[in-house]
Amino acid sequence: MDCSICSSLPVILRPPRNTICGSCYDGAKCLINLINKLQSDKPANKATINVASSCKTLMNASKWIIDLKNREEELEEKIVYLGEFSAAFRHRIHTDIELKSGFAASPSVSAHRALLATRSEIFKNLLESDGCKAAPMEAITLPELSHEEVESLLEFLYGGDLAEEKLEKHVYSLALAADKYDIPYLQKFCKRYMLRSMNCDNALDVLEIAEVCSCRALKENALDFIVRNMDEIVFSSGFEAFALKNPHLSVQVTRASLMDAKKNRPNSA
């Protein structure tokens, strides 16, 4: 039937307003449910979207979309504004401390004490020690990281983001560093990347990282993925090396696989 909303007819020739097709009806219903859900879940602060507390119709939909667009623009401006702080790192403006990798021949990377202290409680405690206060350009050594990994870590601490190619290359090292130096946002950032990029080639690495970092949710997801792709992963070239290095995790993989097989086994008559 012709629809008063999506019809291609001129407005004057369209059917009455109460004539609506199933697609438009379902779309309107979903939009109303979304607006009401966002309204019911909103935090009690002034930054929330300004929509009537009881949105039962689509009367406020256009206002809601405009407010959402305005918030998006404000957030983009804020991101650009905060991102300019990264220039202080890139151009080494008034840096007052050096970070060194665990490789003796690698050059150090300049940074700012204040930034390190605000991003990590571990760095904050380290910088408040008498040893660092004694010299304005004291160096901190991160023995577990290479020079590239130190630069990537600092790039993230300054900008809150990292290029995809750098993240793909250094995600495991950065996840371990985030855990060691207590950088919660970097932990979440690496976890999200490992979850969305998990495949049969890296699932065992993700499981190992999750175990070291005591990340239960990531570990459960990795175990579930390995069990669902058991044949391909167990017979891969890297599984034997993984099993020799992580016998306890190999036992957990075996148990998880057996439990899954038992759960999916048809009941015998």
Side-chain angles (χ1 to χ4, degrees):
M1 70 175 181
D2 288 332
C3 176
S4 61
I5 296 177
C6 66
S7 174
S8 59
L9 294 173
V11 176
I12 193 172
L13 298 178
R14 289 186 182 184
R17 286 188 298 174
N18 61 347
T19 307
I20 182 172
C21 67
S23 297
C24 288
Y25 174 82
D26 291 339
K29 187 175 180 180
C30 288
L31 183 57
I32 292 173
N33 289 337
L34 174 61
I35 295 174
N36 288 334
K37 183 179 185 303
L38 290 175
Q39 186 65 20
S40 63
D41 293 344
K42 72 176 184 178
N45 58 53
K46 295 181 180 179
T48 55
I49 302 172
N50 184 21
V51 183
S53 59
S54 179
C55 182
K56 301 301 182 184
T57 69
L58 291 176
M59 292 177 60
N60 289 315
S62 60
K63 178 174 175 52
W64 175 74
I65 293 173
I66 292 172
D67 288 345
L68 193 62
K69 179 64 176 176
N70 290 337
R71 286 191 64 198
E72 181 183 1
E73 292 177 354
E74 290 175 5
L75 286 174
E76 288 177 354
E77 292 176 358
K78 185 180 293 186
I79 290 172
V80 172
Y81 175 74
L82 294 176
E84 293 175 353
F85 188 59
S86 299
F89 168 62
R90 292 194 303 270
H91 302 299
R92 307 296 191 260
I93 301 174
H94 300 306
T95 55
D96 54 8
I97 196 163
E98 300 288 320
L99 266 67
K100 294 182 178 179
S101 74
F103 300 86
S106 299
S108 60
V109 184
S110 301
H112 299 84
R113 291 170 179 262
L115 185 282
L116 297 178
T118 55
R119 294 290 192 253
S120 163
E121 283 294 322
I122 303 299
F123 284 144
K124 179 181 178 182
N125 294 334
L126 183 61
L127 291 169
E128 288 176 350
S129 65
D130 292 336
C132 279
K133 288 181 179 179
M137 288 299 289
E138 188 73 33
I140 296 177
T141 299
L142 309 181
E144 68 284 347
L145 299 180
S146 67
H147 176 73
E148 283 188 7
E149 290 164 349
V150 171
E151 285 192 323
S152 295
L153 173 63
L154 286 172
E155 184 177 337
F156 182 86
L157 294 182
Y158 277 86
D161 199 5
L162 201 60
E164 188 78 9
E165 60 272 14
K166 292 184 179 180
L167 185 57
E168 180 181 2
K169 186 176 181 180
H170 304 306
V171 63
Y172 303 135
S173 298
L174 292 176
L176 294 173
D179 179 66
K180 179 177 180 179
Y181 298 108
D182 190 18
I183 310 172
Y185 183 55
L186 179 56
Q187 289 175 309
K188 293 179 182 179
F189 189 80
C190 292
K191 173 186 171 183
R192 286 195 293 264
Y193 177 81
M194 286 187 281
L195 284 173
R196 73 171 183 264
S197 63
M198 194 182 307
N199 55 52
C200 291
D201 294 326
N202 63 22
L204 294 174
D205 295 326
V206 173
L207 178 60
E208 186 176 355
I209 293 295
E211 175 73 1
V212 174
C213 297
S214 300
C215 184
R216 182 176 178 180
L218 182 61
K219 181 178 179 180
E220 289 176 352
N221 276 273
L223 274 173
D224 180 66
F225 184 91
I226 292 169
V227 168
R228 287 187 284 107
N229 299 273
M230 196 71 174
D231 291 343
E232 184 173 351
I233 293 176
V234 168
F235 291 102
S236 66
S237 58
F239 184 77
E240 184 175 351
F242 170 83
L244 292 173
K245 183 180 178 183
N246 305 281
H248 62 296
L249 289 178
S250 300
V251 171
Q252 293 180 39
V253 169
T254 302
R255 288 175 176 171
S257 178
L258 291 173
M259 290 177 64
D260 181 72
K262 183 178 180 180
K263 181 177 64 176
N264 295 323
R265 184 186 306 160
N267 294 328
S268 58

